[in-house]
Amino acid sequence: MDNFNRRRFLALSGLSAFGAWMGTASLAARADASALNPRNLLASPRFASSPFTLGVASGDPSPDGMVLWTRLATEPLVFGGGITPRPIPVQWQLAADDGFRRVLRQGSALAHPELGHALHVELQGLEPGRPYWYRFTVGGHESAVGRTCTLPAATAQVDRVRFAVAGCQHFEEGHFTGWRCIAEEPLDFVFHYGDYIYEGESQPGVRRMNGQPFTNLRNHVGPQIYTLDDYRRRYAQYKSDADLQAAHAAAPWFVTFDDHEVDNNWAGAEDQDGTPSEVFLLRRAQAFQAYYENMPLRRSAFPVSGHMQLYRRARYGNLMDLHLLDTRQYRSKQVDMAAREQVESPARSIVGAQQERWLFDGLADAAPRWHTIAHQVSLGNYAREKDGQVVSSDDQWSGYLDSRRRLLGHIQTLGFNNVVAACGDAHRHYASDLVQDNADSGVISSEFLATSISSGADGQGVDAMARTTLQHSPHLKATTDKRGYVLCDVTRDAWVGDMKTLDQVMQPDGKLESWKRYAVAHGRPGLQEA
């Protein structure tokens, strides 16, 4: 295929999945359905059972609003969700109290079959820094009640924010107990760093996990997922989990994807299997649509031409700026870590030039007391022993050393000493200081990497991999492969990461504990035990 035709095919491959909505994205996301009256409207729907089997959620809060989400499905694991494939009006309410004695806003939104009957009600004009409660009704059925909140005004004097960092929830490998624990925490928001679903087909029988025989706790429905219907059903299976639903209903979420929402270790327009880019982009486009349908995202993230705008920023008063990154969509393909010229090449990036400029500009803002980089994979340059050799990951910032050096160099040059990174992906907790790999830079920043909710099953604690990683990573303070999340408690004087762990996830109701806590003092980079 010549270059012109290939470029045109790449463009059209994205359009094929999304062209029907490119001119109507704002209409599809509109909160008020009163102005929309499609000819095929199912005006008076009736359901034999509740269509709210996938729960409710809110997300992307701002000082004056947020997104309210639900998706209709009476039979979640059936293609189409058991819902008539016609637009359906759904009523929503926002109240000042959980008993809905004081309803502040209400309206109707259309659940479109083209969007899997998902709803994204985007509200604005609300009061800053306060809680709200919401619910949906349709066809005589009422959803669960969700609690959400707006962010403080951008210039408000704020003394504290508490949020959880979590992700990597493999359905087959454990109960989602961590989400139940998060639902019970008094939080301002949740940051989900990615791997909301896993794309693979369940393997029957016994396999190896953590060096031990392992049998799936529960199995995926269907084969490896490739089509929009496949992805929709996989999200429905995960979202049917009561613990996950509880966490969504308890607080607003900021979400971003990593790799398994599409395919393991994908990078830009390429997968790990050598699939032609123009073919992989067809799959990626369908995965992006399913992700949008199932997440409480604003219309700014609506997929267009096979692309999603996911990197964005949120300001929590004058206390903290949250910089949410996308380290998948713009990254260069991974390379062999033995090829040091390529690993260190300035031509390769994990975030792309435009996103990097956006991040650098945001970090240069002196207004917030703290900056938090909320991303997917470790910025820490961790090394461990494997087959007698010392290795580091090609899929993390360690595989994109020029990107890593530029970011840490920028943070150091700014000199604010107020940047902390929060991420996940590795299925184990890491608490680490961040230094340049090729200079005696001193501590520039610190990172809390949250372990998985369930991926990796129960884990072994401080195992052999943890010990060799600690041995070869001098700025790593602590690591364990138990499941859990990081509870972040940020005040004006300190940024504290509390690494929560569960003793088990293969059995329900695992015991939660605070494994280790580290603090970063404002203006003094470096982790200290708290």
Side-chain angles (χ1 to χ4, degrees):
M1 185 179 292
D2 62 44
N3 287 339
F4 174 80
N5 287 335
R6 188 175 190 275
R7 286 196 302 269
R8 180 160 180 77
F9 185 94
L10 291 175
L12 291 176
S13 66
L15 287 170
S16 67
F18 294 94
W21 303 304
M22 281 182 61
T24 58
S26 61
L27 293 178
R30 184 179 294 175
D32 185 0
S34 61
L36 300 176
N37 189 24
R39 188 174 62 180
N40 60 339
L41 181 71
L42 185 60
S44 301
R46 291 290 180 266
F47 306 99
S49 59
S50 174
F52 296 112
T53 57
L54 304 181
V56 299
S58 68
D60 271 8
S62 68
D64 75 335
M66 74 291 291
V67 176
L68 309 180
W69 175 94
T70 193
R71 179 180 156 210
L72 306 182
T74 56
E75 299 176 82
L77 301 186
V78 172
F79 289 137
I83 304 297
T84 301
R86 292 165 63 183
I88 297 173
V90 180
Q91 286 67 50
W92 57 268
Q93 289 182 314
L94 185 82
D97 61 284
D98 59 358
F100 287 78
R101 290 175 293 274
R102 185 180 166 213
V103 174
L104 303 175
R105 298 278 187 90
Q106 56 189 337
S108 179
L110 285 185
H112 291 272
E114 295 92 340
L115 293 173
H117 287 107
L119 287 170
H120 296 77
V121 178
E122 190 167 334
L123 299 180
Q124 57 186 6
L126 303 177
E127 294 180 24
R130 61 150 296 167
Y132 294 90
W133 287 262
Y134 62 96
R135 64 188 177 190
F136 301 88
T137 57
V138 66
H141 295 273
E142 190 172 284
S143 75
V145 172
R147 180 191 179 277
T148 188
C149 56
T150 49
L151 301 184
T155 57
Q157 176 76 13
V158 176
D159 295 326
R160 187 183 189 189
V161 60
R162 299 178 84 251
F163 62 97
V165 178
C168 288
Q169 55 209 48
H170 203 306
F171 190 79
E172 300 173 316
E173 296 176 5
H175 292 281
F176 290 174
T177 312
W179 286 125
R180 176 66 60 176
C181 296
I182 287 172
E184 295 168 355
E185 298 269 14
L187 298 175
D188 296 295
F189 62 85
V190 171
F191 166 53
H192 193 293
Y193 59 75
D195 292 347
Y196 193 99
I197 61 168
Y198 282 73
E199 78 284 11
E201 179 178 8
S202 288
Q203 300 300 314
V206 179
R207 58 189 173 99
R208 305 292 290 180
M209 177 76 70
N210 303 318
Q212 304 293 325
F214 174 83
T215 302
N216 289 344
L217 174 72
R218 45 192 181 178
N219 291 322
H220 286 151
V221 172
Q224 174 102 345
I225 55 179
Y226 289 92
T227 71
L228 178 56
D229 281 337
D230 290 341
Y231 282 103
R232 283 173 172 167
R233 184 167 65 172
R234 188 62 54 87
Y235 277 105
Q237 185 172 23
Y238 278 57
K239 282 182 166 292
S240 297
D241 185 274
D243 293 337
L244 178 57
Q245 288 190 18
H248 269 301
W253 286 32
F254 289 101
V255 301
T256 186
F257 51 53
D258 192 26
D259 54 342
H260 289 288
E261 289 87 350
V262 181
D263 184 46
N264 183 49
N265 287 353
W266 70 276
E270 299 182 74
D271 67 8
Q272 64 176 355
D273 302 317
T275 305
S277 292
E278 53 267 33
V279 176
F280 171 67
L281 283 173
L282 293 173
R283 179 186 186 184
R284 195 187 83 168
Q286 294 173 89
F288 280 10
Q289 180 180 342
Y291 184 75
Y292 174 80
E293 289 175 357
N294 286 281
M295 295 297 117
L297 286 164
R298 291 181 178 268
R299 68 194 63 173
S300 58
F302 193 95
V304 176
S305 299
H307 170 264
M308 288 187 74
Q309 179 59 48
L310 272 190
Y311 66 84
R312 59 207 189 278
R313 186 173 293 116
R315 173 159 292 183
Y316 202 88
N318 66 359
L319 179 62
M320 185 184 76
D321 271 11
L322 187 72
H323 308 272
L324 295 129
L325 303 189
D326 174 353
T327 60
R328 284 290 164 192
Q329 202 170 176
Y330 313 101
R331 71 158 66 190
S332 307
K333 178 69 174 172
Q334 299 91 337
V335 296
D336 184 345
M337 291 297 284
R340 300 305 294 177
E341 246 183 64
Q342 294 183 60
V343 172
E344 301 186 33
S345 171
R348 298 177 64 252
S349 174
I350 194 170
V351 292
Q354 182 174 328
Q355 184 178 192
E356 183 179 274
R357 288 193 299 271
W358 168 88
L359 176 60
F360 285 13
D361 288 345
L363 294 174
D365 191 339
R369 183 79 171 168
W370 294 95
H371 288 277
T372 297
I373 301 174
H375 60 130
Q376 291 77 24
V377 297
S378 67
L379 188 53
N381 197 356
Y382 307 124
R384 61 185 176 88
E385 289 182 18
K386 182 179 181 181
D387 300 328
Q389 295 185 321
V390 177
V391 297
S392 53
S393 174
D394 65 345
D395 195 53
Q396 299 166 353
W397 288 74
S398 53
Y400 302 81
L401 283 180
D402 198 65
S403 283
R404 184 180 189 273
R405 290 167 183 164
R406 287 196 303 269
L407 175 55
L408 292 180
H410 181 71
I411 294 170
Q412 189 171 40
T413 298
L414 291 171
F416 294 155
N417 296 324
N418 67 347
V419 179
V420 179
C423 61
D425 177 64
H427 303 173
R428 55 181 64 226
H429 280 312
Y430 289 96
S432 180
D433 288 329
L434 300 175
V435 302
Q436 288 287 23
D437 66 298
N438 59 350
D440 184 14
S441 65
V443 176
I444 297 171
S445 182
S446 298
E447 174 176 81
F448 291 96
L449 189 153
T451 188
S452 63
I453 288 290
S454 61
S455 303
D458 287 337
Q460 297 176 309
V462 181
D463 57 358
M465 179 176 168
R467 290 190 289 272
T468 67
T469 305
L470 286 163
Q471 177 185 349
H472 296 288
S473 308
H475 299 283
L476 175 61
K477 303 294 185 182
T479 182
T480 178
D481 79 337
K482 285 292 186 179
R483 311 283 73 84
Y485 56 95
V486 174
L487 176 63
C488 306
D489 193 345
V490 183
T491 63
R492 301 196 72 78
D493 294 330
W495 203 114
V496 178
D498 186 351
M499 293 181 285
K500 303 284 192 178
T501 57
L502 291 156
D503 63 338
Q504 58 182 351
V505 293
M506 288 297 289
Q507 297 294 327
D509 303 319
K511 180 182 176 182
L512 184 74
E513 68 172 4
S514 176
W515 180 63
K516 288 184 182 292
R517 297 174 77 248
Y518 288 93
V520 179
H522 187 268
R524 298 197 303 275
L527 296 174
Q528 304 295 327
E529 287 199 49

